[in-house]
Structures are given as structure tokens and as C-alpha cells.
Amino acid sequence: MRRALLALLARVLGDCAARDQHAAYRSVWLDGYELNRADYYIGQASSLLEEALHHFNRRQKGNDSPDPYLKIWEAQNQVLAAVELGSRTAENWFKAGNITLHMAAVIRHLEEGEFFQDALTYFAKAAQMDPGFIPKIKELLADREKTKARFPIWKLVTKDVAKTLKTWEVGKLPSMPIVQSFHVATQDSPDVCSSG
């Protein structure tokens, strides 16, 4: 009887160990999948941003072209999906900040909204996770400064970001809530459903 109980106990413990090992493998696989998916969404956002810039430039030259706002809206949704899936890596937050900074320039020029705070939030999160991203953010802004002559819309946001970055210190980085600039409905909006 005692042997049977010990054998049963060993089998149960073995099953638990196998289940724990399976859970660990599943967790590793899921983490990798989420990061790959986040990279995909960042790539999609980048492509949509390129389309928005193409439409923007055509409109600036007086040509007929779709509204760039629509592509920016789609790109923002891709960035939000990437941030949700890749929230554990500073690199992903940095990429989200970079794309959002570019969207901020277009949106600000079109006077259709404000993405500046979103870009700062993503950059702050990257820097909080890895302070080594502060120089990368400054380098990115320096690159934008160089291309300002080709794309004057960058000057609309790079100066603001550079000014904010001067106040950031390692260990004293701001904690900013993540907000989504578009799709924010108010209680008076027809998009808000009342319960009851």
C-alpha cells in the first residue's frame, strides 16, 4: 500500500513538473510571438506613415491626393497594437516614439490634433526601462534637425522634444500615462453609449 501511494505521489509530482515545464515553454514562445507581432505592427505603422507623407507632399504641391490624416489614424492604431504587445522592451517603446514623433509633425501641420505628448510618453518609457535610450533619442532629433531643410514640418516638433529632453535626467525621468490622442470620446459624443 505504501509503495502504491509513493508511486502515485511520484507520478503526480512528475505531472506537475511536466506541466510547469510546458508552461515555461509556452511563456517563452508567447513572449517571442508577441515581440515578432509588435515588430510587424511597427513596420505596418512605418509603411502607413510613408503613405501619409506621400499624400501630404502631393497635397502641398497642389495635387489631388487622399487625406493624410486617414493614414496617420491607421498608423496610430498599429503603434498602439505594437506597444501593447511589445511593452516589455525599451526598443519597442523607442520605435513607437520615433514613428509617433513623425506623425506628430504631420498632424500638427494639418492642425488635426496633437501627438507630441504621445511621442514623449513613448520615449520616456523607453528611457525608464533603459537609460541608454536617452542618447538615442537625442541622436534621432539631431538627424531630424539635419533633414529639416528637406522636410520643414519636422521643425514643428523636434524643437519641442529637444527642449523637453533637456529636463530629463537619468533616475528622474517623468512617469507619463499612456494616452491615445484620437478616438477619445466625450460623454456628449454620439460615439458614447449610455448604459441603463
Side-chain angles (χ1 to χ4, degrees):
M1 175 77 157
R2 188 168 197 197
R3 272 190 200 160
L5 243 108
L6 287 174
L8 178 64
L9 182 62
R11 198 167 80 201
V12 168
L13 290 176
D15 288 348
C16 289
R19 197 172 33 246
D20 289 346
Q21 186 178 19
H22 179 70
Y25 288 140
R26 187 177 60 233
S27 178
V28 168
W29 179 87
L30 190 57
D31 287 349
Y33 175 79
E34 287 177 349
L35 290 176
N36 286 337
R37 212 55 204 158
D39 281 343
Y40 168 80
Y41 286 129
I42 288 290
Q44 287 296 106
S46 183
S47 296
L48 289 163
L49 176 61
E50 288 298 321
E51 285 184 57
L53 288 171
H54 175 73
H55 296 319
F56 173 80
N57 289 330
R58 285 186 52 80
R59 283 182 164 218
Q60 290 297 103
K61 294 175 183 173
N63 297 321
D64 188 34
S65 190
D67 187 355
Y69 175 89
L70 298 174
K71 292 299 175 186
I72 295 290
W73 182 80
E74 288 180 60
Q76 184 198 31
N77 285 318
Q78 298 295 312
V79 167
L80 291 171
V83 164
E84 186 174 326
L85 288 172
S87 63
R88 292 183 299 262
T89 68
E91 180 72 28
N92 197 59
W93 287 102
F94 173 75
K95 290 175 181 177
N98 182 20
I99 290 173
T100 304
L101 178 66
H102 288 78
M103 290 190 295
V106 176
I107 289 296
R108 199 181 265 191
H109 184 81
L110 294 173
E111 297 178 354
E112 292 279 352
E114 185 60 60
F115 277 15
F116 174 70
Q117 191 64 39
D118 293 357
L120 281 181
T121 299
Y122 298 149
F123 284 145
K125 185 68 175 173
Q128 286 169 350
M129 293 176 85
D130 180 355
F133 275 92
I134 293 176
K136 288 182 180 184
I137 297 165
K138 290 179 179 179
E139 184 180 314
L140 173 73
L141 294 175
D143 288 346
R144 287 299 141 249
E145 216 31 57
K146 292 175 193 169
T147 61
K148 190 164 69 170
R150 257 186 356 177
F151 300 105
I153 60 172
W154 300 142
K155 71 181 175 189
L156 296 171
V157 291
T158 54
K159 191 172 18 170
D160 289 345
V161 174
K163 187 176 10 172
T164 302
L165 279 179
K166 286 180 184 176
T167 66
W168 289 9
E169 297 175 32
V170 175
K172 296 179 183 178
L173 294 167
S175 177
M176 300 179 187
I178 297 171
V179 293
Q180 184 178 5
S181 293
F182 291 149
H183 322 303
V184 177
T186 63
Q187 201 58 36
D188 300 330
S189 169
D191 297 335
V192 174
C193 298
S194 59
S195 60

